[in-house]
Every structure is written in C-alpha cells, then in structure tokens.
Amino acid sequence: VADQSAMYLEGGAAHLRQLERAAKAKRMRIWTGFSGSVGQAPSKTFEATVVRIISGDTVLVHDAARNADREFQLASIRQPRTSDPEQAGYAEKARESLRRLCIGKPVSVTIDYHKPAQDNFRARDCATVKFKDTDLGVHLVKNGLAGVLRYRADDGDRSSNYDELLAAEAQAQEGKLGIHSGKPKAATKATDASENATRARSFISHWQRSGRVACVVEHVSAGARLRLYIPKENVKLTFVLGGIRCPRAPRKDGTDGEPLGAEALAYTTRNAMQRNVEVEFEGVDKSGGFIGAVWLGKDSNLAAGLLEQGLASVHGYSADQSHHANSLYAAERDAKAEKRGMWADYNADEEARKADELAKREQERVASTQTQQLKPRIEFLDVMVSELASPTSLFLQIAKPAKVAELEDLMANLSVSQAPAPAGFAPKAGQLVSACYTVGDEWHRAKIMKVLPGNEFHVSYIDFGNSETLGIDRLRPLPSQFANIEAHAQEAQLAFLRLPNSEFVSDYSADAYDMLRQLVEGRQLVANVEARPSNAPIQITLYDPALGRPVLEKSVNGEIAFAGFAAADDRALSSKHNAPAFDKIKSLVADARNSHRGMWEYGDATADE
C-alpha cells in the first residue's frame, strides 16, 4: 500500500492494509523474502475514562473492567519537541487541546501495537483513542499540533487510522497551521504567586474581592493540596483546602503515608486533576500557599466531597473561619452516620463521652487560669535604670554588689582582649561583637541589629540597652569567653501603661522623657515584676525606696499616669494579674484626662486610634 496515495481513497485504505498484512504473513509474491514486522490486527476496543493528559501525545485512562489506570501513547503521531524553544509552545497547546477536549470524559481505546523499550525510552502501548467520533490523534494533527510518523514499507506497526492521520497532516500543511506555520512559539512562563508568603499576600486581597476565580488544576500532591493555574492572569499557585485535615499521602521517595492518605489523594486526583474549577480564596499560610474552597461545579465543594467519603476530618479552627462551615460539618456528620472511611469504627456515644470530658477539663483549665490571673505577683528587685527607650519602656541592671562587680570585671577584661579584626571581617545581623562606644572609646559587648550601606552597622549594647550606628573600624569579633555571659541589661515595660498610637502624642514625648529621667536617673530603685509575658519585656512597677514603703500613687508608674504622659492598658498581662493596681492607675489617668494634663491638654489623645 502506498501511504501517500492511500490517504486519498474514499473510506480509507483499511481493507487494503488488511489484505497486505495477510500477504506479508504468507510471504506471497513480492513478500517472499519479507522479514519485517507484519504488524498486528487492532485489538478489541474497550471503554475507559481519561484521568490525565500526560503530554501532547500521551494520555492516562482508567479501565473500569480492570479497575486500573493505563497509559497510552497516541499511535503514529509525535507531539512538538518540548526541548525546542521554537516548538515548546505548540507542545503546551497540544496538551491543553486534549485537556479541553476529553479530560474526565469517556473514550474508546483500540490498542494498535506495542513499542518496546529503546534509546532510554521505556516500553509503551500505542493506541487509537476516540472521544465520541473524534480521533484524538487526528484532532491534534489536523490543527498542526502533532506530526505523523513515517514508516518503512516492511514496518506494519502503525495506527489503525493511519491514512486519516496522513490526510489530516496534509490539510494542516496546506492551511499552514501550528507547527507548519513557520512561526516559532515559545513555552509560557507563568508567575508563581506562592514563591513565598510575601508574594502570596500581594495577590490575596485582589482574589478575595473577585469572588470565585476560574482556575485549572495542574497537579494534585495530596488529598487537600493542589497546584492551580489561573489562565486569565498567567499565574500559578499552591492551594490548600480550608476547613479540613486530610491524611498524609505516601511520597514518591517511599515514605509511608497515613491510613487513607492514598485514597484521599486518588479521590482528589480522579475528581479534580486537570479540571476547570472555581476557587474562593480565604487566606495565606506561612509558606505562601493559599487557603480556601475549590468548586468542581456550581454546587460541588471538593472539601465537602472528601468529608462525605470519610477521607478527611473537619479542622475546627479553620472551618469556623470559612463561609462554608455548616456544609463541612454536615458532610462529616453524614460520613460518621454511614461509617465511611476513617469513621468505620465510629461510636457516637463514646465520642460524646470524650467530648464531655474534654469540655470539663477545658472549664477547669480556664477557671484555674482566671484564678492565677487575679493573684498579684510579688517579686521585688533592686535595680538601676541604664537606658530609656520610651516614656514607658526602659532597660534595667540588677543593683547587687556581685552583679556590679561582674560587669566592671567584664568591661575591664574586654578592653584588654581586643585584637585587630581579621581580614574580611563582616558581621551579620544578630551577631554578638565587641563595639567601641563613641563616648569614652570603651569596648562593650553589642549585638548587630541591622547592616547598613557603606559598611556601617546599627548596634545595641547588651549590657546597657543603648544603641548607636558604628563603622566597621569600631567593631571586632567578640572573644569566645565573653559570648556566653548573660546580658546585664534587661528590657522592661512600665506595668499597666501604654503610649497611644497617635501622632498627637509625639508632641509631648520630650516632656515625658524629661520627667522620667528626673524620676530614675542615677538612682537605685526597687522594681516589682508584675508580669513576665513570654517573648516580651517584663512588666514592672518602679518605686523609690527613699520615699518609704511602696505606694502605687508615688511609684514611677503612678507619677507618669498622673502627669498625663501615658494611657491605661487594659490588655497588658500585668493589668490582668493585678486588677486592684490597674484600677488605681486608671483613676490616675482619668484624673489627668479630666484636668487636661500632659498629652490630654487638648482632649482625648486616643480618639484617632
């Protein structure tokens, strides 16, 4: 059979090829010495569903009769080369064309031949795949999105629809379509919105305002984790289903997953992989992944579907933030009632008993915490104020003879331990160094707070609390024997007080500093630690022992409040620990406000917060 003319026969040349195949098999006439491949008659056609478009010429289908996924290369065609910058865009277009045509759709599959492993390519079955009356291979070739393979006359392994493929290619060449147009088409480069959390946050508000956003699911890595593409904006992103927790799926490196993790992954893959979906954006996680809901249809919520099958559980905190909380909880209740998936052994009575016990323990914990909060702390320390950071924030040094002597020895030993900085010395933010203070040219321990242009560094002196900007010539590596000694300056906050978040207040900061300096500078004071918040400065009340027994109204805190240089802070941990003391501070602040002292001179300094 002559390939180039057979394609013009009305109705194709299938009957001629069948006769030719029989003649080859019997070695008749011109085929007496034939030693090539006779080719095989097409196998029986079976029905399947397309579950994934692997490339522009390869599909993965689910064979229901075998209950297995099977991969097929479309017979006798080749997609545009992805390695060729001028054709890579056509390869993308071929894959997208197949996705739009048949993903998730029923198809008929006829296996034409088996291609053995060769030249680093694995063995594969090649088939003619049809969606309704459309041959996928012909569809691609006709649109210039694939080429037809040419064979030797003695090679019978080819598509059962080979002549129609040749005719489609001739049509595409005549119309100068796709790869026959002579126009290069580069691969699309999409923006990755999930590159990091900062980039993700720059997109989230726009998509939240947009309501449901049309996307394509490009990849499914777990039951609740997907990779999406937004064609309209040419953006890719990582997406996590909000409100649920899916079991962890097994990994490709062999790491075991959790029970039902593989089933959850299979469910999402079967229902969402490469599908057109709509997405509602609810938030962003710490790694730049987006959180929200995926809709497979107008009313089909993917997260609810996983819950209904017992392949996920409701994540209470996350679900309560979602607009779809009611439907998520309802789907989980349905799975429990039907004992599906992870709820196969669910016992409603036992779960109710556990919930009651948990609620009781939580009530006891809250009651215990409230009792502790109402109990004032008593922890008096002799201190010296070494630095003022703001009218309510300062640094303390413990005023014990042993501590004072330790600090003096540290400074003396540090001054004699300085060696020239090594070549290439370039300290980084957070690093401890020796720094030469510009007042007095004495060496102190310091922490690099920020690296500035021009080889300059903003440092904080950890034994005093003050800070300044220095050049590299005034910095040295800190000798190791000084690195593990505890910092002598401790940051503290005046308990019960805060500075209002208002530009108006800044006009009174100089007066506030002057007053605070007169109250604390050069004096040994007594501090009561009212609260020790985690990862925050301690909250203290400062008293002058020369004034006799501690009286809150005469404390530094009381004087600042009465003078009108701070507001009462009802959210401070110290205010919750010592409610009576906080009430007294509030009354002092109220008196200052009513009398228009300090920052209250022209009215309410907190009005624009």
Side-chain angles (χ1 to χ4, degrees), residues 223-224 241 244 246 264 267-268 301-312:
L241 298 180
I244 67 171
C246 260
Y267 177 90
T268 301
N301 186 320
L302 178 58
L306 286 162
L307 290 168
E308 287 174 353
Q309 298 302 315
L311 299 175

Side-chain angles (χ1 to χ4, degrees), residues 146-307:
V148 180
L149 299 176
R150 296 301 192 271
Y151 299 94
R152 300 188 310 272
D154 61 352
D155 188 352
D157 288 339
R158 61 185 68 187
S159 169
S160 56
N161 211 11
Y162 188 67
D163 297 310
E164 191 174 347
L165 288 173
L166 291 174
E169 185 174 55
Q171 180 182 343
Q173 289 172 340
E174 184 179 354
K176 299 185 181 301
L177 302 177
I179 57 177
H180 308 296
S181 66
K183 300 176 182 178
K185 188 174 181 63
T188 304
K189 293 183 179 179
T191 301
D192 185 359
S194 294
E195 182 178 2
N196 52 57
T198 301
R199 169 165 282 191
R201 284 192 289 269
S202 70
F203 284 90
I204 185 64
S205 58
H206 161 59
W207 288 333
Q208 284 177 328
R209 291 193 300 269
S210 300
R212 292 192 183 185
V213 178
C215 302
V216 177
V217 178
E218 287 208 327
H219 181 68
V220 178
S221 56
R225 194 172 188 86
L226 310 92
R227 188 73 174 165
L228 304 181
Y229 175 63
I230 303 180
K232 186 178 179 180
E233 302 183 35
N234 193 29
V235 172
K236 294 184 178 182
L237 57 103
T238 299
F239 195 85
V240 181
L241 298 180
I244 67 171
R245 183 194 178 279
C246 260
R248 186 177 63 253
R251 295 182 180 176
K252 292 183 179 179
D253 61 7
T255 305
D256 292 337
E258 296 175 332
L260 296 177
E263 289 82 352
L265 172 61
Y267 177 90
T268 301
T269 300
R270 189 81 67 227
N271 289 278
M273 183 67 173
Q274 294 184 325
R275 308 297 176 85
N276 293 325
V277 299
E278 290 186 327
V279 171
E280 290 182 22
F281 291 86
E282 296 174 356
V284 176
D285 64 22
K286 295 180 180 178
S287 62
F290 293 84
I291 302 169
V294 170
W295 297 90
L296 304 177
K298 184 177 180 181
D299 301 313
S300 181
N301 186 320
L302 178 58
L306 286 162
L307 290 168

Side-chain angles (χ1 to χ4, degrees), residues 16 46 111 125 138 146 154 254 272 276 298 329-330 350 354 389 446 492 543 546 565:
L16 296 180
F46 67 92
I111 302 177
D125 289 325
V138 172
D154 61 352
N276 293 325
K298 184 177 180 181
Y329 281 110
E350 179 64 16
K354 290 180 180 179
Y543 300 96
F565 291 129

Side-chain angles (χ1 to χ4, degrees), residues 79-92 179 184-187:
Q79 71 167 345
R81 292 190 299 274
T82 56
S83 58
D84 185 345
E86 295 188 355
Q87 289 199 9
Y90 290 115
E92 281 184 358
I179 57 177
K185 188 174 181 63

Side-chain angles (χ1 to χ4, degrees), residues 373-376 496 530 552 573-586:
Q373 289 177 341
L374 294 175
K375 184 179 180 180
F496 320 119
E530 304 282 358
L552 187 60
L573 187 58
S574 54
S575 302
K576 298 173 183 177
H577 271 300
N578 195 343
F582 177 60
D583 288 340
K584 290 182 180 179
I585 290 293
K586 278 202 301 184

